[in-house]
Amino acid sequence: MDEVQRLAASAVANVLAGRSLDAELRAVSGRPSLTPQDRGALQDIAYGTLRFLGQLDAMLDLLLERPLKDARVRDLLRVALFQLAHTRAAPHAIVDHAVRACIALNAPAAKGLVNAVLRNFLRKRDALLVEARQTDRGRYSHPQWWIDKLRSQHPSLAEAMLANANLHPPLTLRVNARRLSVDAYLASLESEGIAARALGGSAVMLERPVPVERLPGFAEGDVSVQDAAAQYAAPFLDVQPGSRVLDACAAPGGKTAHILEIGEVDLIALDNDPARLERVQSNLTRLNLNARIVCGDAAQPAQWWDGVEFDRILADVPCSASGVVRRHPDIKWLRRPHDIARFAARQSEILDALWQPLAIDGKLLYVTCSVFREENQEQIEHFLARHQDARHLTLPGPHTNAQQLAGQILPDEQHDGFFYALLQKA
Ligand SMILES: C[S@@+](CC[C@H](N)C(=O)[O-])C[C@H]1O[C@@H](n2cnc3c(N)ncnc32)[C@H](O)[C@@H]1O
């Protein structure tokens, strides 16, 4: 376990230096010394440490008499504290392995300190957990600027949003309407002993996540993994038989596939990232669906547009991803306050460019997985001010809760945070 702890600590350090957690885990998970269980543990520990980083740091500050000089030892302590506070692994084993990891880190002098800090945590655990909640960062495990922004933009909901962002995300599936009904799929899950329930539309949420290989019919294309809020996109786009559709930021193709599952349409899947476009192709192949896949910049239609207008455009634009933090806890530490304005500027370039190839009466669905107003409501207000020929439509039912009516789906136990705006060209 000491190798797993060291690798998790180094992944956390690299995320805090600006790298994405998935890239970090991909880089180390191929090591021959790691068993499949080690790989699972490494992922859980790295994700969990980042999920609760504010709390862990607050407790560490209370436990340390003076700041630690060796950043690697601090990262190791963060990881071991996460394991002690949030997992069921045997505490003595966690402490022993962390002490051993000091040797592998070439920091043998830190062994005594690591041992003392972790044992001290075990003695004072309950009091430390309470005391860590005295600061916002310790209580919510988000950067202070993020907490402040949510409080000012969603005053009555910020507390719940921050708490939800630290939950484990559910595994939600989209049942392929071309192949079977939600009820039929629920029955086949039940026969495999996998507990699940319908969430409306094509969405089925598992009570406990399982590897996709255990899902009946996954390889055959019966289901795909997709959050419930992401599954609103295709129905909101309201495609008609024969519609000419552009999915302008398509990779890895979750929404592309959903559109094709529910409509007989002529679809172009565009993205500017060739590696991610390969994932669109493999998803469509598994689901036995077809689209024209094009690599290009959505903000530069001259690169890829043949001049024939689109009836529907899906603009699932790059964004801060502030609505999907429970799935990607690295995001809250990777983002900087000024990133939000940068995303908003890029999004408005893409939106303006995509308005041109949209047919009169055609509809464009703007989507982000963000909960920040600059990328959402304000983006659309500015767009409407720039484009007199744009009408902001009410989103089609049957999703009728109050937040959705305004387009903002706030993250809760069943949904990631998404924003939708349906625009029509007059
Ligand atoms: C939120 S993701 C899309 C998710 C996808 N719609 C789905 O449901 O699976 C945003 C995508 O936009 C792509 N992207 C970013 N900038 C772009 C641009 N200027 N033109 C086209 N695609 C872009 C990214 O490569 C990324 O795949």
Side-chain angles (χ1 to χ4, degrees):
M1 194 213 280
D2 53 316
E3 186 185 13
V4 170
Q5 282 180 331
R6 270 187 297 113
L7 291 173
S10 130
V12 167
N14 289 339
V15 165
L16 298 178
R19 282 182 50 127
S20 94
L21 180 55
D22 284 351
E24 273 307 298
L25 292 176
R26 264 199 310 276
V28 293
S29 66
R31 286 182 173 224
S33 56
L34 295 179
T35 64
Q37 285 82 354
D38 288 340
R39 275 185 213 111
L42 169 60
Q43 174 161 334
D44 288 348
I45 296 171
Y47 268 72
T49 304
L50 288 165
R51 185 167 284 132
F52 294 110
L53 192 71
Q55 179 204 51
L56 303 170
D57 280 352
M59 294 196 295
L60 201 46
D61 289 346
L62 293 165
L63 285 162
L64 289 167
E65 280 164 16
R66 63 187 78 87
L68 264 176
K69 290 211 183 84
D70 190 334
R72 296 167 316 156
V73 175
R74 185 176 174 91
D75 294 329
L76 179 65
L77 281 169
R78 284 167 154 161
V79 160
L81 274 183
F82 162 73
Q83 291 179 284
L84 291 175
H86 294 281
T87 73
R88 294 206 203 110
H92 65 273
I94 296 169
V95 177
D96 288 353
H97 286 113
V99 170
R100 233 182 290 157
C102 293
I103 300 175
L105 283 178
N106 208 10
K111 278 166 52 181
L113 175 96
V114 165
N115 188 45
V117 164
L118 296 179
R119 288 189 190 282
N120 216 358
F121 169 78
L122 289 172
R123 272 193 297 275
K124 300 185 186 160
R125 178 196 160 101
D126 291 346
L128 284 164
L129 286 166
V130 170
E131 210 172 329
R133 296 174 66 83
Q134 296 309 311
T135 61
D136 281 345
R137 196 179 144 104
R139 186 182 183 95
Y140 300 115
S141 280
H142 277 66
Q144 188 66 47
W145 67 267
W146 189 301
I147 298 169
D148 294 343
K149 194 187 265 297
L150 287 186
R151 281 186 176 144
S152 89
Q153 298 192 348
H154 304 279
S156 61
L157 296 160
E159 176 98 17
M161 291 168 78
L162 289 161
N164 283 331
N166 289 338
L167 295 177
H168 282 267
L171 182 68
T172 306
L173 305 174
R174 183 187 76 239
V175 178
N176 183 348
R178 282 187 184 251
R179 288 179 62 91
L180 75 174
S181 68
V182 165
D183 284 346
Y185 195 69
L186 282 171
S188 75
L189 283 174
E190 195 180 353
S191 67
E192 295 290 322
I194 300 174
R197 66 193 163 101
L199 292 184
S202 301
V204 164
M205 189 170 89
L206 302 195
E207 255 170 43
R208 265 176 304 281
V210 299
V212 288
E213 307 82 60
R214 272 203 58 206
L215 293 170
F218 182 81
E220 294 76 28
D222 284 356
V223 282
S224 301
V225 174
Q226 191 177 41
D227 181 76
Q231 294 189 36
Y232 295 159
F236 282 165
L237 192 61
D238 180 34
V239 293
Q240 304 298 319
S243 291
R244 192 172 140 83
V245 181
L246 172 68
D247 185 353
C249 298
K255 300 183 187 73
T256 315
H258 194 189
I259 295 166
L260 293 166
E261 284 168 6
I262 62 174
E264 295 295 337
V265 298
D266 172 15
L267 189 146
I268 293 182
L270 178 79
D271 203 280
N272 68 350
D273 182 332
R276 285 173 63 86
L277 273 175
E278 283 174 24
R279 294 174 59 197
V280 178
Q281 186 55 64
S282 66
N283 276 324
L284 295 184
T285 304
R286 180 179 62 85
L287 295 163
N288 197 20
L289 299 167
N290 282 308
R292 228 164 344 128
I293 294 180
V294 177
C295 190
D297 181 349
Q300 304 285 337
Q303 283 180 2
W304 45 264
W305 186 38
D306 62 6
V308 184
E309 289 167 340
F310 295 97
D311 307 304
R312 298 287 184 271
I313 296 181
L314 176 62
D316 187 11
V317 292
C319 72
S320 64
S322 51
V324 293
V325 167
R326 60 183 184 160
R327 292 189 194 281
H328 303 284
D330 51 337
I331 283 173
K332 58 187 173 181
W333 308 114
L334 287 169
R335 296 285 176 259
R336 299 287 173 264
H338 57 260
D339 290 341
I340 311 308
R342 274 218 320 266
F343 278 117
R346 188 71 183 130
Q347 291 153 358
S348 67
E349 272 171 30
I350 293 178
L351 256 180
D352 284 348
L354 291 177
W355 199 240
Q356 187 195 351
L358 183 67
I360 305 275
D361 288 335
K363 294 177 187 171
L364 182 152
L365 182 66
Y366 174 79
V367 187
T368 71
C369 55
S370 170
V371 290
F372 294 146
R373 288 185 64 87
E374 298 89 325
E375 301 176 273
N376 297 344
Q377 294 88 345
E378 288 174 16
Q379 180 71 266
I380 295 306
E381 283 162 21
H382 296 157
F383 180 83
L384 292 169
R386 288 195 303 275
H387 296 270
Q388 303 305 312
D389 58 345
R391 281 203 304 139
H392 189 179
L393 302 180
T394 304
L395 292 167
H399 312 286
T400 47
N401 75 43
Q403 291 117 356
Q404 269 165 240
L405 285 179
Q408 179 72 72
I409 294 151
L410 292 171
D412 61 21
E413 280 165 27
Q414 297 173 1
H415 303 91
D416 286 344
F418 267 82
F419 175 79
Y420 286 102
L422 187 60
L423 303 165
Q424 186 169 37
K425 203 177 207 177

